[in-house]
Amino acid sequence: MLQQEADCLFCRIVRGEIPARIVYRNDHVLAFRDITPVAPQHLLIIPVKHIASLNDLCPEDEAIAGHILLAASVVADIEGIRESGYRLVFNTGKDSLQSVLHIHAHLIGGERMGWPPFPGAAALHG
Ligand code: AMP
């Protein structure tokens, strides 16, 4: 078993201790439905290895980072949104409202999104 944390929510999902609606897994990553979806399709792609956030990625984790990105189009394909489009978001740190300290890519899609994601951001930042 790769490095895991006993009390980490997402490590517990990896170990099958907490149920999740898993749509894809391989030796490196797991993808499951977000319990509070913000879009018609909202999946979380996580590494099997416990890494708290992007800030904690080490050079030795380069392959894991790649596996998360490679899983994105696979999961999007499973969900039927590979061609219509999707967004991948890694909340990192408190300003981003990261709430689970285990790297997770939010893969969201299934409807037209806005950009920028912050209402009024364009007005504020020119
Ligand atoms: P973040 O706020 O970026 O850390 O995202 C954490 C995400 O995990 C949120 O979108 C939650 O809805 C989701 N989440 C929390 N607990 C679970 C769970 N047991 N199964 C699936 N998703 C979860």
Side-chain angles (χ1 to χ4, degrees), residues 4-18:
Q4 293 265 299
E5 292 275 317
D7 296 329
C8 168
L9 173 65
F10 287 174
C11 285
R12 297 191 69 195
I13 287 176
V14 169
R15 292 194 297 269
E17 295 169 7
I18 292 178

Side-chain angles (χ1 to χ4, degrees), residues 85-126:
Y86 53 92
R87 190 170 287 167
L88 209 58
V89 175
F90 292 88
N91 290 329
T92 303
K94 67 176 167 40
D95 274 359
S96 77
L97 303 181
Q98 181 181 6
S99 62
V100 179
L101 289 176
H102 182 132
I103 289 178
H104 48 283
H106 293 260
L107 189 152
I108 55 178
E111 69 181 21
R112 191 83 166 182
M113 289 171 250
W115 189 264
F118 308 105
L124 278 174
H125 302 294

